[in-house]
Amino acid sequence: MSELMFAAAAGAPLLSGWSVHALRLTRRIEAARRDPLTGLWTRDAFEDRARKTLSKGQQQAVLVLDLNWFKEINDTHGHAAGDAVIRATGMRLGAWAAGHHGVAGRLGGDEFAAVTDVSGDADTVAGNLSAKVLELIRSLERPVPFEDRDISVFVSVGVARYWRGTADLSALLRQADEHMYRAKREGGGASIAPKHETGPSLPTVHGRRYGRSGTTGKEVA
């Protein structure tokens, strides 16, 4: 028995060393999948987690959002100010998503995405989703302090509504992106796709596309 105990004790440092190494490796892998500026998941990591999130609930919403007039922020205040706005946007979006049992990521540049639960029955779900999106817009459009000034922030948000089995993540992101650009064309705010939206998309500038008419501009319904 004493020999077994000695052998176990001798092996303990080795096992502990492997455990520490595995933990460090896991943290490095996770860090590599995080956007260094915002701390959000990068595109691939976000999509992995978004698919898992979609598989858990009957009702979900996929959001794509973009900062309006972001180039003007860089041109007027400098790239450091632009980075401050991106960082604040990522932190605010991440906090909102976590508060609604969701996941958020930075797709690149000033474009972000999120997936969140949508609660309610047939009579209340649309209103609940609208309230969530309005809450998000209010959070993201708070001015961002930078040095001796506050920088105004404006966003456009596109939302695709998901009921289990209706579409895959790629299609939902595409639909949300179409509605995001529709909102942007109207000056910002949000555009939420109907529960089921079909039909061909129409080409627009910048390689984006939009579909049929729906909620646009500052309205959220």
Side-chain angles (χ1 to χ4, degrees):
M1 178 66 71
S2 60
E3 292 179 355
L4 291 174
M5 293 178 64
F6 176 78
L14 180 61
L15 291 174
S16 177
W18 275 110
S19 298
V20 171
H21 176 72
L23 180 60
R24 288 176 178 171
L25 182 60
T26 299
R27 288 176 175 173
R28 287 178 182 175
I29 293 173
E30 180 170 315
R33 306 193 79 189
R34 293 278 188 179
D35 172 57
L37 185 58
T38 64
L40 295 179
W41 297 111
T42 57
R43 178 186 287 269
D44 288 345
F46 163 74
E47 290 184 357
D48 288 344
R49 284 158 178 78
R51 288 187 178 92
K52 293 177 182 176
T53 300
L54 289 175
S55 69
K56 294 178 181 178
Q58 292 288 344
Q59 299 181 130
Q60 305 280 339
V62 175
L63 296 83
V64 171
L65 61 102
D66 188 85
L67 297 177
N68 299 336
W69 309 296
F70 181 69
K71 183 178 183 297
E72 283 78 357
I73 293 176
N74 282 329
D75 292 344
T76 302
H77 304 290
H79 289 281
D83 285 349
V85 170
I86 292 290
R87 186 181 301 109
T89 299
M91 293 177 64
R92 293 168 180 176
L93 176 62
W96 177 86
H100 292 290
H101 309 289
V103 61
R106 183 183 180 192
L107 301 183
D110 60 329
E111 190 169 68
F112 302 81
V115 174
T116 182
D117 288 342
V118 180
S119 60
D121 54 30
D123 296 326
T124 62
V125 65
N128 292 343
L129 177 56
S130 296
K132 281 189 176 185
V133 175
L134 284 174
E135 175 193 342
L136 174 62
I137 290 175
R138 291 191 185 106
S139 173
L140 296 180
E141 291 194 340
R142 298 198 314 269
V144 174
F146 178 74
E147 295 181 348
D148 59 346
R149 65 183 75 94
D150 286 340
I151 300 175
S152 298
V153 179
F154 302 96
V155 299
S156 295
V157 182
V159 186
R161 298 166 61 182
Y162 172 81
W163 270 250
R164 180 177 292 178
T166 60
D168 62 17
L169 178 63
S170 296
L172 290 164
L173 285 171
R174 220 166 27 243
Q175 187 181 62
D177 185 75
E178 291 169 357
H179 279 265
M180 182 276 291
Y181 190 69
R182 183 178 297 171
K184 185 178 285 288
R185 290 175 60 241
E186 297 296 325
S191 174
I192 299 179
K195 179 177 177 181
H196 297 289
E197 184 173 85
T198 59
S201 296
L202 302 177
T204 65
V205 298
H206 303 310
R208 296 193 184 279
R209 305 170 69 84
Y210 69 94
R212 298 177 292 112
S213 61
T215 304
T216 59
K218 293 296 181 182
E219 300 176 0
V220 181

